[in-house]
Amino acid sequence: MDSEHTPGAQVRISRNGPYLVAGQLPLRKQTIGTNSEGESVEWVAGAAYPDQAQYALCRCGHSRHKPFCDGTHVQVGFDGTETASRRPYLEQARRIPGPAMSLTDVETLCASARFCDPHGKVWQQVRESQAPAARAHFVRQCGDCPSGGSWPGTTRPASRWSRSTRRLRSC
């Protein structure tokens, strides 16, 4: 979906309720694939849900029809008040410089998907980013992370990062 543009697509957050999605956005299940050591190494595409012009996605975690909302949020008294920091990402981030790339990390954004762990963890890989294999693992693992807690970049200042570099994320 990153490379596609869907005109008229919209996602709204309802107060204490579901995400309201409109604009014929495709929806597909994905799971985390692991290697023989149990490390998160890839996203595995699952079943695609039937296309709909609009749908409501569960946000409370209690729906019996996930990922869709079934109204259970009302019965459980779901409080959808946003608690995340509104401070800009780079103000929250810890920057870890490496010889060829850098890593910015905001641990509170971590989704615990563990894409950061294989091949010696991204925090070590950035220190070895001059080596092509370490750099390739680093960039791939950062791109697979769902949280956006950390981003790889070049050793240049953040204000000079390219748009494509900023889209890469890591745990």
Side-chain angles (χ1 to χ4, degrees):
M1 180 82 196
D2 289 310
S3 62
E4 298 174 22
H5 177 70
T6 308
Q10 183 180 37
V11 178
R12 284 189 316 112
I13 302 171
S14 65
R15 182 182 171 104
N16 299 327
Y19 294 109
L20 303 172
V21 182
Q24 205 70 32
L25 285 172
L27 183 62
R28 165 174 227 115
K29 184 174 185 168
Q30 289 190 317
T31 56
I32 297 172
T34 59
N35 62 17
S36 60
E37 289 83 41
E39 298 170 317
S40 301
V41 294
E42 67 180 339
W43 285 104
V44 178
Y49 293 95
D51 285 346
Q52 297 180 41
Q54 55 189 14
Y55 46 88
L57 296 177
C58 177
R59 197 163 61 107
C60 74
H62 295 281
S63 173
R64 291 175 300 279
H65 303 288
K66 292 176 191 151
F68 302 104
C69 174
D70 67 359
T72 304
H73 60 275
V74 175
Q75 294 146 353
V76 299
F78 174 64
D79 179 358
T81 304
E82 199 171 313
T83 59
S85 172
R86 290 297 205 180
R87 287 180 36 226
Y89 173 83
L90 289 174
E91 285 182 16
Q92 299 176 61
R94 173 177 63 121
R95 185 172 182 271
I96 304 166
M101 299 189 82
S102 63
L103 176 71
T104 53
D105 184 40
V106 179
E107 190 174 346
T108 58
L109 296 179
C110 181
S112 299
R114 308 314 323 155
F115 281 106
C116 52
D117 288 346
H119 310 288
K121 302 187 187 284
V122 292
W123 301 275
Q124 180 60 34
Q125 290 168 1
V126 71
R127 293 182 179 96
E128 300 166 3
S129 59
Q130 79 285 1
R135 185 171 47 252
H137 288 305
F138 174 69
V139 171
R140 183 189 53 76
Q141 287 172 225
C142 291
D144 282 341
C145 178
S147 74
S150 301
W151 290 14
T154 65
T155 55
R156 296 174 294 169
S159 62
R160 296 179 58 201
W161 289 359
S162 71
R163 172 172 273 157
S164 62
T165 299
R166 282 187 267 163
R167 278 200 315 253
L168 297 172
R169 301 180 306 238
S170 174
C171 302

